[in-house]
Amino acid sequence: MSRTRRLRLGAFMRPVAIHTGAWRFPGADPNANFSFARLKGFARRLEAAKFDAFFMADHLAVLNMPMDALKRSHTVTSFEPFTLLSALAAVTERIGLVATASTTFDAPFHVARRFASLDHISGGRAGWNIVTTANPDAALNFGQDGQMDHAARYVRAREFFDVVTGLWDSFADDAFPRDVDSGIFFDPAKMHVLDHRGPSLQVRGPLNIARPVQGWPVVVQAGSSEPGRQLAAETAEVVFSAEGSLDAAKRFYADVKGRMRALGRDPEHCKILPAAFVVVGDTVEEARAKRARLDALVHYDSGIGSLNGMLGTDVSGYDPDGPLPDIPDTEASKSGRARMVAMARDEGLTIRQLAARAGSYAGLAFVGTPATVADGMEEWLDAEGCDGFNVMFSDLPQGLDDVVDRVVPELQRRGLFRLDYEGPTLRDNLGLPRPANRFFP
Amino acid sequence: MSRTRRLRLGAFMRPVAIHTGAWRFPGADPNANFSFARLKGFARRLEAAKFDAFFMADHLAVLNMPMDALKRSHTVTSFEPFTLLSALAAVTERIGLVATASTTFDAPFHVARRFASLDHISGGRAGWNIVTTANPDAALNFGQDGQMDHAARYVRAREFFDVVTGLWDSFADDAFPRDVDSGIFFDPAKMHVLDHRGPSLQVRGPLNIARPVQGWPVVVQAGSSEPGRQLAAETAEVVFSAEGSLDAAKRFYADVKGRMRALGRDPEHCKILPAAFVVVGDTVEEARAKRARLDALVHYDSGIGSLNGMLGTDVSGYDPDGPLPDIPDTEASKSGRARMVAMARDEGLTIRQLAARAGSYAGLAFVGTPATVADGMEEWLDAEGCDGFNVMFSDLPQGLDDVVDRVVPELQRRGLFRLDYEGPTLRDNLGLPRPANRFFP
């Protein structure tokens, strides 16, 4: 079976399981999220299954939830993404390595340099997930009294992107002759001093590392707000979206690709990968029962904490069995709030029901047999709801094994997923062009 | 032969060869400094030889030297230390991994988190080389018009150290029961919120990662100025010093250990390791001839650039064959300037002679046979000029092979160096105690 469009699959791995009850699931390793040996094994399994990328979300503070919920979360101790992905680069060969780095709480020189280093060490497998950092507690860890407002964060993010990509272009690809006879290590005419002086950032350059193997590491974006979509259309090569329904996903897909066309970008040059929580069973009923067992492991205190986090507002003072009150607009992530408000409205859920959903993952889920999971993924791909998925595993290692050993072969049988990597770099596998150097075209 | 004091050996690996001519040496790999495959091989060789640590110096800009010198330097493209050491952590088992991080141009939350991550991933092998960053060009890459003055940098460095170590102590060692039955992942009573509000830094905490395997990664310091020595006496567990003569080294050693005693610290709890450039030959004459061949590969333009960098002043406008003029006090590294000024005075060197020295490494060098190199190291150890050395290799791979295959066995034969690692952590091997948690003693 020949298909022109195939799925791209990322693995959402920080935390290794998004589901709050996953670490307690029978057979799961309670420490899977913080065991390098486990994570190395997972990365190698995912690579053997030809996954496009191992993706690390990030937080610059412990999650902002009440202690009664936080104490039940396996996210409290997690590896810093860069450290982990650099280590994994040394023990993998082909899988992409996507790290989150914040444009609000880091410096563009550091970010450009680390991603360039990871790209060189991994032979061209690095990706940068650009985030503006929604957790308001992060500001308090970086000497700020409160969080920069949402719009200002996105203005800075865009300038930050320009600086980082400009620093990556500090050297022409052939800037380093390393001529032993003449003693000339690099050609100064092939070095560009950026000398950026913008409203938020002043960075001289050049970077002290050669241009990345991929030209630029793959640029990833996840925000779904209005400025988030625009930033994605302008800059992103992968979008990790979070649409819960196919209709919403089709609208998001058409919107981002349309914005790209309007900007003169080829819509094929950005792959939209919704997050998808996958639970596999021998029958659909067995898979649903597994999800119910997982959900039953989520304590109410965890659910209400997750709900508060997504809403950006503490609703624990309201009647749990009553409706969701009007939620004020805050500087927290707009997309999470919008999704929960819509879910409460559309399904008529109480705060208690919403809390259980929030605590056990409220987004897109494929719960079924390998065939029905593949059916769902195929439907989304064919309907132009996505270019693939960022898979969230239900429990580790079993939930990952189920996807790798059962779902992936079914996708491959249908011609929906690669049998082998297309090339050595993440760009090769995602079908993305290598950016020209803006200073040495 | 039984000895109570043995050498500790670090390997200075960024750049892989300090000598400006090393990348051009016959048989050397011109790209050794920027080849992950090479660096992985070097780390494994050093580990097989039982070296204590692989040490990465760092610069947050290309070296501040004239372009005519810079274009001849193999340092222009180098890996960011954290990325490289994290990758090496995955392919080594025992060798310590010491990364430089700047207290002037980074955030304590980031620094604490990355070193904690590296310590967990490596099983307790991380070390933090605290630097205040002397290169004035670095400020321009981080949104600052000019460099903070030397004294202010050290005041901030001390506060930065307090914050980082406080963040490492965010959780008691037994804070994570991961109790599947009760659903309690961690015990909130064993989490401390630092809430630091100091003159330079405000950081709330807690860190979002468990306390490091070593309690704290090993704290390393390299400055030799008055505030540098005091910071070392207060905080350091390893000092990378740069004394060129045994007399100077003995004074430095006695000074730092005396300051430690005055502060109530056990002087055994800080290991002083001078940088030592090692060139090995079958005879002393052959080793000297090798050094002369290396020096002959240093272009005058590189020498004058290195000299200017060390002085913090451009002296290229003066007569190369005349004496060094009076050098003003600048905010650049004080120790480099003092060494060059003393060398000019003591040996009556011209600017041209000084430039050749500066370009080919002006510090302590052991140039001889394995036996005479071991003699020199033994003399320094027995005279209390040091507790070991941070070895700089003359050329790669040969100069490293010479040390590993010829000098180390000679040191082992004399009982001056370990035959096997003492334990799994860098602290075990250096004989350093695991720090108590200040909040959960």
Side-chain angles (χ1 to χ4, degrees), chain A residues 113 161 172 201-202 219 233 236 238 250 252 265 289 319 362 364 387 395 411 428:
Chain A
R113 190 170 173 235
F161 167 84
L201 300 162
Q202 294 78 45
V219 174
V238 172
K250 287 164 67 175
F252 180 84
R265 288 188 68 199
D319 176 6
L364 169 63
D387 297 305
D395 56 313
L411 295 172
D428 291 335

Side-chain angles (χ1 to χ4, degrees), chain B residues 346-366:
Chain B
D346 296 348
E347 303 184 45
L349 300 181
T350 64
I351 289 176
R352 189 187 302 278
Q353 289 168 318
L354 268 183
R357 192 71 64 88
S360 69
Y361 191 66
L364 169 63
F366 294 118

Side-chain angles (χ1 to χ4, degrees), chain A residues 129-424:
Chain A
N129 181 39
I130 302 179
V131 300
T132 69
T133 304
N135 183 339
D137 288 350
L140 306 177
N141 289 332
F142 291 89
Q144 299 173 21
D145 291 331
Q147 194 175 30
M148 198 185 302
D149 76 44
H150 191 271
R153 290 208 309 275
Y154 273 89
V155 169
R156 179 182 156 100
R158 180 54 216 256
E159 186 181 346
F160 198 108
F161 167 84
D162 290 338
V163 175
V164 167
T165 52
L167 288 171
W168 283 335
D169 287 346
S170 290
F171 294 96
D173 289 315
D174 60 350
F176 297 91
R178 300 180 175 92
D179 184 341
V180 169
D181 292 334
S182 68
I184 304 301
F185 193 82
F186 85 95
D187 179 354
K190 294 182 175 172
M191 180 182 94
H192 180 84
V193 178
L194 185 64
D195 209 12
H196 174 89
R197 296 164 190 272
S200 301
L201 300 162
Q202 294 78 45
V203 182
R204 181 162 174 258
L207 206 59
N208 52 356
I209 181 167
R211 193 162 192 252
V213 172
Q214 297 183 99
W216 302 352
V218 172
V219 174
V220 182
Q221 227 275 328
S224 62
S225 65
E226 170 61 33
R229 288 175 187 219
Q230 191 59 26
L231 182 67
E234 289 171 9
T235 67
E237 300 176 295
V238 172
V239 170
F240 286 148
S241 62
E243 307 306 319
S245 73
L246 180 52
D247 280 346
K250 287 164 67 175
R251 285 194 300 272
F252 180 84
Y253 189 93
D255 179 59
V256 171
K257 302 256 173 168
R259 289 176 194 242
M260 290 179 70
R261 280 189 204 92
L263 291 161
R265 288 188 68 199
D266 182 340
E268 288 298 308
H269 293 170
C270 179
K271 308 301 180 188
I272 296 179
L273 309 183
F277 181 63
V278 176
V279 185
V280 180
D282 289 339
T283 63
V284 172
E285 293 66 33
E286 185 186 298
R288 287 181 180 156
K290 178 172 181 177
R291 189 188 197 185
R293 285 171 72 201
L294 270 165
D295 288 354
L297 293 170
V298 180
H299 195 278
Y300 176 73
D301 291 343
S302 297
I304 192 69
S306 298
L307 181 60
N308 288 338
M310 293 178 83
L311 293 173
T313 297
D314 184 357
V315 295
S316 57
Y318 293 90
D319 176 6
D321 298 308
L324 192 67
D326 284 340
I327 301 301
D329 201 37
T330 72
E331 292 309 324
S333 171
K334 293 183 186 297
S335 50
R337 181 170 62 252
R339 190 161 65 233
M340 297 314 293
V341 169
M343 194 176 286
R345 182 191 60 222
D346 297 347
E347 303 183 44
L349 300 181
T350 65
I351 288 177
R352 190 186 301 279
Q353 290 168 317
L354 268 183
R357 193 68 66 88
S360 69
Y361 191 66
L364 169 63
F366 293 118
V367 180
T369 65
T372 70
V373 170
D375 289 345
M377 290 184 170
E378 187 168 7
E379 180 188 13
W380 278 56
L381 180 71
D382 288 345
E384 298 202 336
C386 70
D387 297 305
F389 296 95
N390 202 22
V391 177
M392 296 168 155
F393 302 104
S394 56
D395 56 313
L396 281 293
Q398 188 59 53
L400 186 146
D401 287 345
D402 287 342
V403 171
V404 163
D405 295 335
R406 303 178 69 188
V407 176
V408 166
E410 176 64 20
L411 295 172
Q412 289 171 323
R413 195 186 62 73
R414 299 182 186 197
L416 284 167
F417 192 58
R418 69 168 64 83
L419 296 171
D420 200 359
Y421 287 108
E422 286 81 7

